[in-house]
Amino acid sequence: MSAPQDANAKFSRVMLKISGEALMGDLGYGLHPPTVERIAREVKIVHDLGVEICMVIGGGNIFRGLQGSAQGMERTTADYMGMLATVMNALAMQSALEGLGAHCRVISAIRMDEVAEPYIRRRAVRHLEKKRICIFAAGTGNPYFTTDTAATLRANEMACEAILKGTKVDGVYDKDPVKHADAKRYDRVSYDDVLAQHLGVMDASAIALARDNNLPIIVFSLDEPGGFKGILAGEGTYTTVHG
C-alpha cells in the first residue's frame, strides 16, 4: 500500500460507508442527482490527495430488506431486493465520479457481469493500487447481513486503515441529538461501550468484526462541506470508535 501524496493525510486506504438515505437529498425516496454529485465531489477531492478509497452504499433510499420483511415479505427475498438497491446506488455514484474524471469500479457480491465486476479480492486490491475507487455493492451477497457488516468485511479484506462512516450528525451521541438538546457527543468511545449502550453506530455484527480486527470506525457528518477531507487531516468534529 503506497503512502498518500498529501503528507497531512492520516490514512492511505480507507473505507467510506454511507447510507442510501444520504443520496436522497430533500426527497423522501430515491436518488437526488445533485446530492449524489456533491458527495462524489467530496470523494474525488480526497482521492486526488492520493488516498485509496473503497465505498459501500446502503440501499434504504430504494428498498430496505428488514422493512419489507416486516410487511410480510419473506426475509431472504426482501434482503436480496435490498442488495439490488445497493447496486443501483453504486452505479449512480460510479456515474457521478466518472463524470468528475475519477476512475471507478463497481464490484458486486452477486454476479451480474453486464452491470458490475464480480468480487475477487486480489482484483479489487489491484484496482486500489492502480488508484481506482472501488464501490462494493450487493452487501456480502448473503441475506441477514447489513451493508454495515459488508463494509466492515470488505474493509478488512482490503486492508483499509479505517472505516469512515458518513452520517447526518457529527459523531456518536449518547442519545438522538435531533430529539434531545442535552445529548452528549463522544470524542472517543470503545467498541464494547457501543455494544453495551446500543449507541447505534453500526449493527452488532459490524462492531464485533471491527473490534476483533482492531479496525477504527470514524463517524462524521457527510452534510458538512469538506468534512471527508477534514477527517483525513484530523480536523473537524467526529467520533472515533476504537479498542
Side-chain angles (χ1 to χ4, degrees):
M1 194 188 309
S2 59
Q5 295 168 5
D6 187 330
N8 293 322
K10 290 174 62 178
F11 306 110
S12 58
R13 182 181 294 174
V14 298
M15 167 64 73
L16 175 63
K17 168 62 171 70
I18 61 177
S19 67
E21 288 88 347
L23 307 184
M24 290 193 309
D26 294 330
L27 304 176
Y29 179 85
L31 291 157
H32 184 238
T35 299
V36 176
E37 183 174 345
R38 176 183 65 80
I39 295 172
R41 288 187 183 280
E42 297 270 333
V43 174
K44 174 71 161 49
I45 288 169
V46 172
H47 189 249
D48 287 345
L49 299 176
V51 178
E52 297 169 3
I53 300 175
C54 306
M55 294 182 70
V56 168
I57 306 171
N61 57 318
I62 299 171
F63 189 87
R64 188 181 294 277
L66 203 56
Q67 290 177 354
S69 177
Q71 294 171 14
M73 187 176 293
E74 197 271 323
R75 173 66 188 270
T76 301
T77 299
D79 278 355
Y80 278 123
M81 291 174 68
M83 290 179 216
L84 296 179
T86 72
V87 177
M88 295 172 69
N89 285 338
L91 292 172
M93 182 58 65
Q94 179 188 45
S95 178
L97 285 164
E98 290 182 342
L100 297 172
H103 296 288
C104 183
R105 296 289 187 274
V106 173
I107 302 170
S108 173
I110 298 174
R111 289 195 74 104
M112 47 184 80
D113 294 349
E114 290 79 10
V115 174
E117 290 186 11
Y119 176 69
I120 300 171
R121 189 186 68 83
R122 285 177 176 270
R123 182 186 293 177
V125 170
R126 188 69 180 131
H127 285 321
L128 292 172
E129 292 171 348
K130 290 185 175 181
K131 305 304 178 186
R132 296 167 184 156
I133 297 168
C134 289
I135 307 177
F136 296 103
T140 67
N142 302 288
Y144 296 95
F145 289 93
T146 66
T147 51
D148 281 343
T149 301
T152 311
L153 174 65
R154 297 294 184 237
N156 280 304
E157 290 179 302
M158 295 298 106
C160 292
E161 296 165 316
I163 298 174
L164 277 63
K165 181 162 184 181
T167 69
K168 292 185 176 297
V169 293
D170 58 357
V172 179
Y173 287 77
D174 60 349
K175 49 191 170 184
D176 190 342
V178 176
K179 298 178 181 177
H180 303 276
D182 61 340
K184 172 191 171 186
R185 186 183 62 80
Y186 299 98
D187 287 327
R188 295 174 65 84
V189 63
S190 72
Y191 304 112
D192 290 338
D193 284 343
V194 168
L195 291 171
Q197 298 177 39
H198 304 286
L199 293 178
V201 177
M202 288 180 163
D203 66 83
S205 297
I207 295 295
L209 185 57
R211 178 191 62 193
D212 292 347
N213 293 277
N214 200 29
L215 181 67
I217 303 167
I218 298 172
V219 183
F220 71 104
S221 173
L222 200 63
D223 293 337
E224 186 70 28
F228 186 24
K229 180 184 178 183
I231 297 302
L232 269 295
E235 301 169 352
T237 305
Y238 57 89
T239 298
T240 302
V241 182
H242 63 98

